[in-house]
């Protein structure tokens, strides 16, 4: 992946969703919602984070034989197992799901 321009928002969720999905944030996630937010009237894409019908970078890489591992802050959805890194195609994950972690106290802040 070659990034030769500045592609970021003033908070992390849209940029993370964009990097994971390969799509512009406007098509994925523009909000910095709590990761467990859901809209019960929309069981397909009514969750915070990347909609399940969108393919992510880990799923694409895994489909051509790569092992996939994620470390760090996910913050691209965790309302269901399918929204977590393992549900999105990563073999392993070591990090935080949430966007409000304090790395020193290890609590939400």
């Amino acid at each position: 992946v070659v990034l030769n321009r500045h592609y970021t928002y003033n908070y992390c969720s849209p940029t993370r969703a964009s990097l994971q999905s390969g799509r512009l944030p406007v098509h994925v996630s523009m909000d910095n919602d709590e990761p467990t937010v859901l809209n019960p009237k929309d069981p397909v894409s009514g969750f915070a984070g990347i909609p399940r019908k969108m393919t992510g970078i880990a799923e694409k890489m895994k489909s051509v034989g790569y092992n996939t591992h994620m470390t760090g802050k996910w913050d691209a959805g965790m309302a269901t197992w399918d929204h977590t890194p393992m549900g999105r195609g990563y073999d392993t994950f070591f990090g935080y799901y949430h966007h409000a972690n304090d790395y020193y106290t290890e609590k939400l802040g």
Side-chain angles (χ1 to χ4, degrees), residues 74-89:
W74 174 246
D75 200 18
M78 64 176 214
T80 70
W81 177 257
D82 288 342
H83 290 87
T84 67
M86 284 72 65
R88 301 299 311 193

Side-chain angles (χ1 to χ4, degrees), residues 1-7 18-19 22 57:
V1 175
V2 176
L3 300 175
N4 58 8
R5 302 215 185 338
H6 299 281
Y7 307 95
S18 183
L19 286 169
I57 191 169

Side-chain angles (χ1 to χ4, degrees), residues 8-65:
T8 187
Y9 276 69
N10 62 344
Y11 49 92
C12 63
S13 298
T15 302
R16 288 176 190 283
S18 183
L19 286 169
Q20 292 295 329
S21 69
R23 294 168 176 84
L24 291 173
V26 70
H27 300 294
V28 186
S29 173
M30 292 280 295
D31 300 321
N32 199 33
D33 292 328
E34 289 297 312
T36 56
V37 168
L38 66 99
N39 176 359
K41 295 180 181 177
D42 184 0
V44 175
S45 60
F47 299 94
I50 303 168
R52 277 302 304 142
K53 290 191 174 186
M54 288 188 177
T55 307
I57 191 169
E59 294 163 299
K60 287 292 190 183
M61 292 181 75
K62 202 169 182 177
S63 73
V64 293

